[in-house]
Amino acid sequence: MNEFIDWLSKYLGIEKNPTATIIVSLSVFCLGIVINELLKAIGRFRERRAIRELVRRNYLIFHKYLYQQSQSLKLFESLVTVKGGPNFNVYVRPCSALDNFKDISYSNSFKAFFVGFENIKLKGRIKRIQAFDNLYHCISTIRKEQEKMFPIIGSFKDEAVQIINKLNKSLKEAFEVTADVAVELSSKPPNLELNKWLSHRHKIYQACFSKGDPSDVNEVRKYFIEILDFETANSKPITTIMNSKEFWYYHKKIHSALGDIDSLNTLVSNTKSYCKTISDKFEYTAQDLKHIINRYLTENLNKKYINVD
């Protein structure tokens, strides 16, 4: 060291003491930089490690949520009928992982898995990148589906109530006008043709209402369709109590009830179909994630993070 100081002193043309002071100052400065950068590197390493654990834990929560929400949607779909349906909010499961992934951010997660000396793994790197990208693609897809799902399915009950209220009114009118026709024709002087007509019409009624009011509104729909078909094909008795315009308005009231029943059926069918589609999508997404993510992003996951109930 003395020889180096002598050489540097002669080279700089200054005395040994100032030269030694310069060397010490530079050494302390460089050491400070090294220590500072080392502490920063350790801090970044610990941050990346923490983010990796958070991503892995939230992936497990997200994966479990996909299966649970899929099953909840299937249950909700099975309970949706023309009579109504349950409160959709009861079948909505929260998923904290979706918000957590957003807070962590794609950039920070990527750095945690692919930046730093601890992530220098040439083998399987492409697979890990694909798994990582697949995870965030699925998160984005599910978040969008959630945003669409709540207003679509959540509004089912309100829409059903509106249609059912309208249907109750149109059914009341349809039953009244069909009953009025039967009563008025029954008061006519009896004849063989009229008796036969009334008897056949009564059989149509009995087929639907012999055991009381049917629980399925589609049975009522079937009844009204049979009435329309029969009266359209055998309209002669009705022409004795109605002109063509009155006959048209009479059947129009029945068609209005049928239209409301069809609207209710369409709402139920569309809701059930949408529930099934989304349920299948959630389940498929969970299955799609399971193999590649479990293998490439959850390896060496701490045991304490496995239970995410």
Side-chain angles (χ1 to χ4, degrees), residues 24-62:
V24 171
S25 299
L26 288 174
S27 299
V28 171
F29 177 74
C30 291
L31 182 61
I33 292 176
V34 171
I35 293 174
N36 184 55
E37 291 301 318
L38 180 61
L39 291 175
K40 287 182 179 179
I42 293 173
R44 288 192 293 266
F45 166 76
R46 295 182 65 182
E47 182 181 1
R48 290 194 300 269
R49 184 177 63 181
I51 290 176
R52 281 196 300 273
E53 295 296 345
L54 285 173
V55 169
R56 288 165 176 161
R57 171 173 169 75
N58 280 283
Y59 157 70
L60 293 175
I61 295 173
F62 177 59

Side-chain angles (χ1 to χ4, degrees), residues 141-185:
T141 299
I142 295 302
R143 183 179 286 116
K144 289 177 181 177
E145 290 297 344
Q146 272 196 336
E147 291 173 356
K148 293 189 296 182
M149 178 176 68
F150 294 142
I152 291 175
I153 304 180
S155 64
F156 165 77
K157 195 168 186 179
D158 292 336
E159 292 183 41
V161 168
Q162 293 177 9
I163 294 175
I164 289 173
N165 288 337
K166 185 181 177 184
L167 175 59
N168 288 336
K169 182 179 179 180
S170 61
L171 282 177
K172 182 175 180 292
E173 292 179 351
F175 279 122
E176 286 177 351
V177 293
T178 53
D180 289 344
V181 167
V183 170
E184 191 166 351
L185 286 176

Side-chain angles (χ1 to χ4, degrees), residues 37 124 135 153 212 229 290:
E37 291 301 318
L135 172 61
I153 304 180
D229 291 342
K290 185 176 181 180

Side-chain angles (χ1 to χ4, degrees), residues 203-232:
K203 286 180 180 178
I204 296 175
Y205 177 84
Q206 285 296 316
C208 183
F209 297 97
S210 60
K211 296 180 180 179
D213 293 341
S215 58
D216 187 354
V217 72
N218 286 304
E219 290 295 320
V220 178
R221 180 181 184 276
K222 180 181 177 182
Y223 162 72
F224 279 126
I225 289 176
E226 290 184 6
I227 288 291
L228 287 173
D229 291 342
F230 173 69
E231 292 182 350
T232 301

Side-chain angles (χ1 to χ4, degrees), residues 285-296:
T285 300
Q287 293 172 350
D288 187 43
L289 283 173
K290 185 176 181 180
H291 172 67
I292 190 167
I293 301 292
N294 281 359
R295 182 175 179 183
Y296 293 104

